[in-house]
Amino acid sequence: MKQFVVAVSIDKVQTFLYYVLQAYIQENQANSGTLREIVSSSLLISETFFRDIGIEGKDGEFSDHIEERLLTCSGMCIVTTSLDRELIIEKLDRLFRKYYKTFKGQLLVKYVVFEKKLSTNQDKLEVIKESKKRLRQQDCLNRIIDNHRDLLFQFSDIPDRKDKGLEKSIVSIQEYPGFVRDINALYSEKEAGNDNHFRVAVIKADLDGMGDLFEQLEDFTVYKEISQLLSKFISLDYLHKLTAKYQEKDRDFKLYPLYMAGDDIFFAVTAAHLLDGVTLCKEILQQLNEEITKLRKQYSTNLRQLSLSIGIDFTFNREPIRYYYERVQRQVEEAKAYSRDCKDKVEKSSYMKISINDYVFEDYEAEKKSQWAYFKDDVKLLKGAIQEGFSANHFLYGLLSKISDKTIDSSDIKFSNAVLYHLLPEHLESSNKKMREYELLITENLLRQLLVIKKSDSEKRKSNPRGGPERELSFERKQRERLERHVRMLLLFSDPRFAITGDKVKVTDFDFDKKRIRGTLFNKPLRYLYYQSLHSPLKDKFIREHKIKHFRDFFVMPASYKARNGYSVPVYRTLQISSSMVHRFKKMDKNQIGTVAEMLQSVNNRKKEDIEKLEAQRKSEKKAPPGLFFDEEAFRSVGVETNFWTDDYIDTLLIFYRMNDLSIQYRTLYSDNRSKNRSNRNKKRHQKGRRPKGDKR
């Protein structure tokens, strides 16, 4: 008796689901669909399809004629049968016509039949791969089209809600009480009063490299086990189980499933529960990878862990799905493209790529925090600052309007000045310590987006052998784009409609490292202003280097002094210039160098000898050196010769002087406790060396 392999798949599944969602969820531009219709469409791709074939139940085409199930997964099955070939084809043709007519071409059943004697598991694995290959070939589709030409080339209406085709697959949803019945139900009755302004987070996730994974499998049992794992964890049942688990912790957590099968995860949550939605996806991935690890040990295979690409989009609850479906799919593709560039990172445990607003974050389990973990901390930090009264939305929108201004963006010096001026702390002198520290943490967070490694490998090891390479500020195009994306992301979550849920945040939840903050917020910007803004923009082939340095030295010079604790303290020596004077300079004709020199001389009138004497005195007292001596005549000469005195240069001086003052205030508020810490360490070491009381040794 001949044995035939029958492989059947549902083609155009994504098109069909798109149709179902658009037709049912958002008919007439409204999300009026129900959970019943969503569940129905998802189960159609699996359970109903299997019943129609005869894998389950007794009324399918091949009921009582299937000898062995080789593969059953979402939208596909491969079985063996001993029926006559002509009868097999007749049954498959009938199945094709049923689905095509019922769903008006929205679903296409593809099938192949070939004779094959199976005696070993290796034979079965080869048959599965051969079946998939044949189903993908154009010859398969051409043959189906030729066999059903009379049906395919007749005009038919697009199904509407009165069509009963889809209703045939509707099943009870009493087993899914944790899912909301429609998108509007994601919000409470109070919030649901304004139907047009519900913010919804749409999350679409896709397992990476599933095709390649199955192609590499060389064991039929492992192949079958992996398929069963996907069916178990990428399913409405498991999604509902996790939803119920989250609702036990947070009764306000609500989820609306859109599609869950194969290697696709697609659902909606409130914008406030976005982070929970992503964590839920991660739990699914972790469960899959834990089971894969068990299989790897059990069968001694080289199965690699799976990774996940996630796309996120925000939408109004009544927005047509065709808009946000395309947007969220584009975010998924952004995440997948990023993973192709970072293949070496895929092996990290539970590795995910999360794309939101065209910004891709990595997330994985490791000792070092992932990008997504840092982002979650940033959102939490923002929430805490807002709770304390920080005007985050106003602050971030002001920064965004500056860095997206074409006039400012056209010049490196204008861009860096605009950013650094906007990020000058305003609450450093505030008596509200929480507000002050929230502002410092948020500002530091923004400046970190501009940090890059500048030095060569040998210089890194030489300058910082223990702490790794030093990072410096950069305002090049890549860093500018990174900053803008980050600001837009934070701005999104500063909107009350996107407020992340959770317990009240405290500033003590965050790592307020005084030294790190001082370095990022003051030391690095001051270095950038000194070496870049007050130097590099002035370079000109007709002006010698010493002239540029000479002009800068009128206003700023780096120095250091030995403090009472024995440590060398770096400082900047400056002139005495008030902010009001700087603003007057901006309004003046820039060619009036003489007038500028007179104004500077009037408030910096100490003689050089007096400055040198005061410098020696302060050195003996282990105090910071005095301000600079101002040479009026030299300033007039260099100023007229070089034309360095411009609005941009004046702006840079204003920022530098203000930042330097704030740096001194910061040191006063958060004094360096290195001596105290060293003393404590010595005390502990001494106590450790002493014998306990009563010890007779």
Side-chain angles (χ1 to χ4, degrees), residues 526-582:
L526 284 170
R527 278 201 300 271
Y528 182 88
L529 290 167
Y530 181 79
Y531 290 105
Q532 299 295 325
S533 302
L534 293 175
H535 181 267
S536 294
L538 307 181
K539 288 184 178 180
D540 189 293
K541 62 181 179 180
F542 299 110
I543 300 175
R544 293 181 180 179
E545 181 80 7
H546 78 276
K547 291 284 186 183
I548 299 173
K549 292 181 179 178
H550 191 182
F551 193 75
R552 181 182 60 188
D553 289 349
F554 287 122
F555 302 100
V556 184
M557 289 189 71
S560 64
Y561 71 98
K562 184 167 288 189
R564 296 178 187 275
N565 59 13
Y567 287 98
S568 179
V569 181
V571 294
Y572 289 99
R573 298 178 65 180
T574 60
L575 291 179
Q576 184 178 345
I577 307 176
S578 65
S579 296
S580 59
M581 181 179 287
V582 175

Side-chain angles (χ1 to χ4, degrees), residues 242-289:
L242 288 180
T243 301
K245 172 185 170 183
Y246 278 59
Q247 288 169 343
E248 288 177 3
K249 298 179 181 178
D250 181 1
R251 65 181 182 180
D252 293 326
F253 180 78
K254 299 176 182 178
L255 184 145
Y256 185 60
L258 292 167
Y259 177 59
M260 195 78 175
D263 57 0
D264 292 318
I265 303 167
F266 192 17
F267 61 85
V269 292
T270 65
H273 285 94
L274 165 65
L275 300 184
D276 292 325
V278 174
T279 303
L280 186 149
C281 291
K282 187 171 184 177
E283 284 200 45
I284 294 173
L285 180 64
Q286 287 174 329
Q287 282 297 319
L288 277 168
N289 282 333

Side-chain angles (χ1 to χ4, degrees), residues 502-518:
D503 298 331
K504 187 174 178 63
V505 181
K506 298 174 291 186
V507 73
T508 52
D509 294 337
F510 306 97
D511 179 20
F512 192 87
D513 186 320
K514 300 172 187 178
K515 184 178 179 182
R516 187 200 69 229
I517 292 173
R518 185 178 72 233

Side-chain angles (χ1 to χ4, degrees), residues 497-683:
R497 293 171 296 179
F498 296 91
I500 297 298
T501 60
D503 298 331
K504 187 174 178 63
V505 181
K506 298 174 291 186
V507 73
T508 52
D509 294 337
F510 306 97
D511 179 20
F512 192 87
D513 186 320
K514 300 172 187 178
K515 184 178 179 182
R516 187 200 69 229
I517 292 173
R518 185 178 72 233
T520 305
L521 208 54
F522 300 108
N523 296 350
K524 295 180 191 298
L526 284 170
R527 278 201 300 271
Y528 182 88
L529 290 167
Y530 181 79
Y531 290 105
Q532 299 295 325
S533 302
L534 293 175
H535 181 267
S536 294
L538 307 181
K539 288 184 178 180
D540 189 293
K541 62 181 179 180
F542 299 110
I543 300 175
R544 293 181 180 179
E545 181 80 7
H546 78 276
K547 291 284 186 183
I548 299 173
K549 292 181 179 178
H550 191 182
F551 193 75
R552 181 182 60 188
D553 289 349
F554 287 122
F555 302 100
V556 184
M557 289 189 71
S560 64
Y561 71 98
K562 184 167 288 189
R564 296 178 187 275
N565 59 13
Y567 287 98
S568 179
V569 181
V571 294
Y572 289 99
R573 298 178 65 180
T574 60
L575 291 179
Q576 184 178 345
I577 307 176
S578 65
S579 296
S580 59
M581 181 179 287
V582 175
H583 288 297
R584 287 177 63 189
F585 290 156
K586 289 256 306 183
K587 295 178 181 179
M588 293 170 54
D589 185 341
K590 301 308 174 289
N591 293 322
Q592 296 179 342
I593 293 295
T595 305
V596 172
E598 291 174 4
M599 292 172 65
L600 291 172
Q601 181 65 49
S602 67
V603 292
N604 296 274
N605 53 10
R606 283 180 178 171
K607 295 181 180 179
K608 190 173 184 179
E609 295 79 9
D610 294 335
I611 295 287
E612 291 173 348
K613 183 177 179 181
L614 184 58
E615 185 177 355
Q617 178 185 335
R618 291 196 172 221
K619 184 177 181 180
S620 65
E621 295 173 350
K622 298 187 181 302
K623 294 181 179 179
L628 293 171
F629 165 70
F630 180 67
D631 189 334
E632 181 181 359
E633 291 303 318
F635 177 79
R636 287 173 182 267
S637 175
V638 177
V640 170
E641 181 183 351
T642 60
N643 291 320
F644 288 159
W645 192 246
T646 63
D647 282 338
D648 287 338
Y649 200 89
I650 295 169
D651 284 339
T652 304
L653 284 176
L654 172 65
I655 297 166
F656 187 97
Y657 275 52
R658 178 57 181 158
M659 187 169 289
N660 195 42
D661 288 342
L662 290 170
S663 176
I664 295 170
Q665 290 179 35
Y666 181 88
R667 283 177 179 271
T668 303
L669 280 168
Y670 301 101
S671 58
D672 194 343
N673 292 322
R674 284 181 294 182
S675 297
K676 183 178 179 181
N677 291 338
R678 184 175 60 182
S679 175
N680 289 338
R681 286 196 299 270
N682 290 337
K683 185 177 179 181

Side-chain angles (χ1 to χ4, degrees), residues 438-497:
Y438 270 125
E439 182 189 42
L440 290 170
L441 286 165
I442 287 174
T443 309
E444 182 211 14
N445 170 274
L446 291 165
L447 279 172
R448 278 208 310 266
Q449 310 308 311
L450 297 165
L451 295 181
V452 296
I453 298 172
K454 282 285 189 179
K455 299 179 180 180
S456 66
D457 290 340
S458 60
E459 289 175 321
K460 293 174 199 173
R461 288 192 293 269
K462 183 178 178 181
S463 64
N464 201 1
R466 292 184 180 179
E470 267 199 46
R471 297 179 181 273
E472 298 177 352
L473 278 178
S474 170
F475 289 89
E476 294 179 1
R477 178 57 52 188
K478 185 176 180 180
Q479 280 67 50
R480 292 191 197 186
E481 292 173 353
R482 178 181 175 84
L483 175 64
E484 182 173 342
R485 288 197 303 270
H486 192 74
V487 171
R488 289 185 185 277
M489 292 286 290
L490 292 181
L491 190 58
L492 184 69
F493 289 99
S494 70
D495 188 322
R497 293 171 296 179

Side-chain angles (χ1 to χ4, degrees), residues 259-413:
Y259 177 59
M260 195 78 175
D263 57 0
D264 292 318
I265 303 167
F266 192 17
F267 61 85
V269 292
T270 65
H273 285 94
L274 165 65
L275 300 184
D276 292 325
V278 174
T279 303
L280 186 149
C281 291
K282 187 171 184 177
E283 284 200 45
I284 294 173
L285 180 64
Q286 287 174 329
Q287 282 297 319
L288 277 168
N289 282 333
E290 284 179 15
E291 295 299 322
I292 286 174
T293 300
K294 292 177 184 177
L295 290 177
R296 184 163 52 194
K297 293 177 180 178
Q298 181 179 351
Y299 295 102
S300 300
T301 67
N302 294 321
L303 284 174
R304 63 175 176 79
Q305 289 204 329
L306 298 175
S307 62
L308 194 67
S309 293
I310 299 177
I312 298 170
D313 186 63
F314 292 98
T315 181
F316 291 110
N317 62 308
R318 295 175 68 87
E319 184 180 23
I321 189 174
R322 63 179 177 276
Y323 298 141
Y324 69 74
Y325 179 88
E326 292 171 1
R327 293 199 304 265
V328 75
Q329 183 59 37
R330 185 167 65 84
Q331 294 302 318
V332 173
E333 291 166 2
E334 287 274 347
K336 282 189 169 293
Y338 184 89
S339 69
R340 286 196 294 271
D341 294 335
C342 307
K343 289 182 179 178
D344 58 316
K345 298 181 181 179
V346 174
E347 289 301 323
K348 291 179 179 176
S349 179
S350 299
Y351 180 67
M352 303 195 306
K353 293 80 57 187
I354 304 153
S355 180
I356 174 173
N357 209 22
D358 297 325
Y359 197 124
V360 180
F361 299 92
E362 291 180 278
D363 190 32
Y364 46 81
E365 297 298 319
E367 292 183 6
K368 186 179 179 182
K369 269 190 173 183
S370 67
Q371 295 172 348
W372 182 249
Y374 276 117
F375 172 70
K376 289 195 295 184
D377 286 348
D378 295 343
V379 173
K380 187 177 178 182
L381 173 64
L382 190 67
K383 176 183 177 180
I386 293 171
Q387 289 174 350
E388 194 59 37
F390 182 69
S391 301
N393 191 272
H394 175 75
F395 172 76
L396 293 168
Y397 185 78
L399 178 58
L400 180 63
S401 65
K402 289 177 182 177
I403 62 180
S404 57
D405 185 301
K406 292 183 179 179
T407 303
I408 293 175
D409 188 56
S410 63
S411 164
D412 291 347
I413 186 71

